[in-house]
Amino acid sequence: MKQGTWVLFDLDGTLTQSEEGICNSARYAAERMNLPVPDEATLRKFIGPPLVWSFREYLGLDPEEAIRAQEVYRERYNTVGLFENRVYPGIRYVLRMLKKAGIHTGVVTGKPEGPTGRILEHFGLLKWMETVVCAADNKAEKELLIRKALPEDAAAAWIVGDRKFDMEGGVKAGIHTLGVTYGYGSEEELISSGAERIAHTPREIAEILCPGTEPVRGAFLSMEGPDGSGKGTQLERLAETLDRYGFEVYRTREPGGSPIGEKIREILLDRENAAMTDVTEALLYAAARAQHVREVIRPQTAAGRVVLCDRYLDSSAAYQGGGRKLGVEQVLAINAPAVDGTLPDLTVYLDIDHRKAMARRCAATEPDRLETEPESFHARVEDGYHQLIEQDPGRFAVVNAEGDRDEIAAEIAGKVLARLTEAED
Ligand code: TYD
């Protein structure tokens, strides 16, 4: 079953952007050994090449000192530096696409086995890797690692990497070479060391290696909560976490999210429009949504991105159905042609007492047309949300939003990542 095409990825600078942890650990090694601390540009050069080589080349150490420096580096790297790391956005898409195309994938890295395994595990990338070959006994030559990783009967093989070491290793091992310019090497370095093909973004890797494969589906996430629930902050934090895990996040909001939708938003939130009837309001939200679903939400998820939407259908059900007393059923009926079956895969609900939420909100900014509604309105909105959650508990991740921001962010990240990574298998 190991026949077919194999694609081997370098780790640092190709799958993950590890500069923060690597630079901090190299600086730590220099400080601890009472050596002059290299400048930022030099520290960045530690990414990719074998460490001992870098300590010799950039700090002028002799072989013994360089091995000692590597040990000190690892003291910090293996405990802290390891997780000062990000997966390049789009990498998850590439790995899913290669799997879909029936291509075998693996990792060859100059890093030792311990941290490599922990990084791949931490970011949920290990499940795609049929082989992981790491440096052992300070032997990190790519040619040898590649030969070790490939089964004898592999029909074709590629190395994907960001530095000359990857390209030269691939050439020596007699396999195809794809250089990526979003990592730490330049296009010039890659071409002069034998890159056959160049990718400027992770997505281009998939375009080169499995052209014509239909995109894998991304996901549609929404976040909901009463006005003042801290939704803005939590959306920001969640987008950052998903980006760090290698998802391509498309952020959007309702009402709005498309040029036409944003115009409708202005009408809806304008305090001058006090004469707007409840049904008009519900229809306008639905109209903006109809455009948003077709112009943004469906195309972006179909292209493999994670759409992260600030409010969606549940807001209409809670605000117009509950708050305006149009009734949840009628509001859902009004919205049926707008959403046409498109519901979020997961909705994060920030659960907070509406009085506490409103107190927070009013302290922050000038209220808009809906926020100036009396307390009873917001009480009905909150009840509306709770009804929706009861009706469809599987779609919601309910998070207590009254506590500490960091803890709320961590709980949301845990729940969303679990759902997204489960869906990619
Ligand atoms: P916004 O400024 O986005 O508020 P927030 O930051 O609290 O999300 O304004 C959106 C307002 O519109 C908010 O008060 C909720 C309301 N709304 C509805 O009443 N129905 C809907 O369908 C949507 C999407 C929003």
Side-chain angles (χ1 to χ4, degrees):
M1 285 314 289
K2 298 295 175 195
Q3 290 162 342
T5 301
W6 281 75
V7 175
L8 303 174
F9 289 90
D10 163 56
L11 184 63
D12 290 336
T14 304
L15 294 177
T16 56
Q17 190 179 3
S18 41
E19 64 194 73
E20 197 188 328
I22 291 176
C23 293
N24 288 344
S25 304
R27 186 183 303 110
Y28 172 85
E31 280 166 0
R32 283 283 311 279
M33 292 179 72
N34 293 321
L35 299 164
V37 175
D39 58 24
E40 286 300 315
T42 310
L43 286 171
R44 279 173 61 88
K45 293 188 185 152
F46 275 73
I47 304 154
L51 276 174
V52 171
W53 182 90
S54 293
F55 278 116
R56 295 193 62 186
E57 181 82 8
Y58 304 129
L59 293 184
L61 305 186
D62 67 32
E64 241 171 64
E65 284 172 330
I67 289 175
R68 170 78 191 121
Q70 174 177 257
E71 283 166 12
V72 178
Y73 170 102
R74 285 185 179 157
E75 270 171 30
R76 184 182 184 284
Y77 187 80
N78 290 349
T79 49
V80 191
L82 198 62
F83 303 119
E84 295 167 338
N85 211 330
R86 334 175 55 90
V87 179
Y88 288 102
I91 285 297
R92 307 189 89 85
Y93 173 82
V94 171
L95 293 169
R96 291 177 68 198
M97 288 291 282
L98 293 176
K99 184 174 178 193
K100 186 176 176 191
I103 293 171
H104 302 283
T105 46
V107 170
V108 283
T109 172
K111 261 192 188 352
E113 206 172 307
T116 301
R118 272 187 283 156
I119 290 170
L120 294 172
E121 180 78 54
H122 177 79
F123 289 105
L125 301 179
L126 202 52
K127 63 188 174 197
W128 284 295
M129 303 307 168
E130 292 177 56
T131 177
V132 178
V133 174
C134 304
D137 311 322
N138 296 320
K139 289 203 195 76
E141 251 180 88
K142 278 281 153 89
E143 178 197 351
L144 302 179
L145 302 177
I146 291 169
R147 288 188 188 281
K148 206 166 144 195
L150 284 179
E152 293 204 346
D153 53 359
W158 288 82
I159 174 81
V160 181
D162 69 315
R163 297 296 308 270
K164 65 176 180 181
F165 307 93
D166 306 310
M167 301 300 103
E168 286 168 357
V171 171
K172 284 191 205 150
I175 66 171
H176 295 291
T177 50
L178 193 166
V180 300
T181 58
Y182 58 78
Y184 300 104
S186 65
E187 186 157 345
E188 197 187 10
E189 168 181 330
L190 292 163
I191 289 171
S192 65
S193 55
E196 277 169 52
R197 302 293 303 269
I198 293 287
H200 302 92
T201 61
R203 267 185 181 252
E204 280 181 33
I205 300 173
E207 284 161 20
I208 292 169
L209 297 180
C210 52
T213 305
E214 273 294 298
V216 290
R217 185 180 175 274
F220 175 24
L221 307 176
S222 64
M223 197 181 282
E224 298 278 354
D227 292 283
S229 55
K231 193 161 47 60
T233 309
Q234 294 303 335
L235 271 164
E236 191 67 46
R237 299 280 292 265
L238 177 60
E240 151 64 17
T241 301
L242 295 180
D243 185 79
R244 189 149 51 81
Y245 273 74
F247 293 97
E248 290 170 295
V249 179
Y250 186 97
R251 276 188 69 174
T252 185
R253 67 171 180 185
E254 289 207 347
S258 70
I260 293 170
E262 290 292 328
K263 286 188 183 164
I264 299 175
R265 176 187 177 93
E266 281 175 28
I267 302 172
L268 279 164
L269 300 186
D270 188 344
R271 279 202 277 174
E272 306 240 307
N273 289 338
M276 190 183 295
T277 72
D278 296 346
V279 176
T280 310
E281 182 180 286
L283 287 165
L284 283 175
Y285 279 113
R289 184 163 298 129
Q291 191 67 25
H292 194 207
V293 164
R294 287 154 185 84
E295 193 174 325
V296 174
I297 297 172
R298 283 182 187 158
Q300 291 297 337
T301 47
R305 299 200 176 82
V306 174
V307 172
L308 183 53
C309 191
D310 184 347
R311 300 194 179 280
Y312 187 64
L313 179 61
D314 300 311
S315 281
S316 282
Y319 282 80
Q320 282 65 53
R324 299 282 186 228
K325 301 192 196 163
L326 289 177
V328 169
E329 292 311 315
Q330 191 187 335
V331 171
L332 292 179
I334 285 174
N335 275 275
V339 300
D340 185 32
T342 297
L343 283 181
D345 297 291
L346 183 66
T347 298
V348 176
Y349 179 68
L350 298 177
D351 199 15
I352 180 169
D353 180 90
H354 66 276
R355 281 167 299 242
K356 287 187 193 158
M358 195 38 85
R360 266 200 214 166
R361 183 68 164 128
C362 291
T365 51
E366 176 108 341
D368 61 35
R369 196 174 60 83
L370 280 106
E371 287 164 359
T372 49
E373 289 295 331
E375 197 219 303
S376 55
F377 173 88
H378 293 285
R380 288 195 299 277
V381 170
E382 197 187 339
D383 284 347
Y385 273 128
H386 286 142
Q387 270 177 42
L388 292 164
I389 294 163
E390 250 171 52
Q391 281 168 17
D392 191 5
R395 178 164 62 82
F396 286 91
V398 179
V399 175
N400 180 340
E402 292 184 9
D404 174 75
R405 277 183 178 189
D406 292 342
E407 283 170 21
I408 297 167
E411 191 180 339
I412 295 172
K415 288 184 168 162
V416 172
L417 284 170
R419 190 69 73 95
L420 288 182
T421 52
E422 195 183 285
E424 337 171 276
D425 295 336

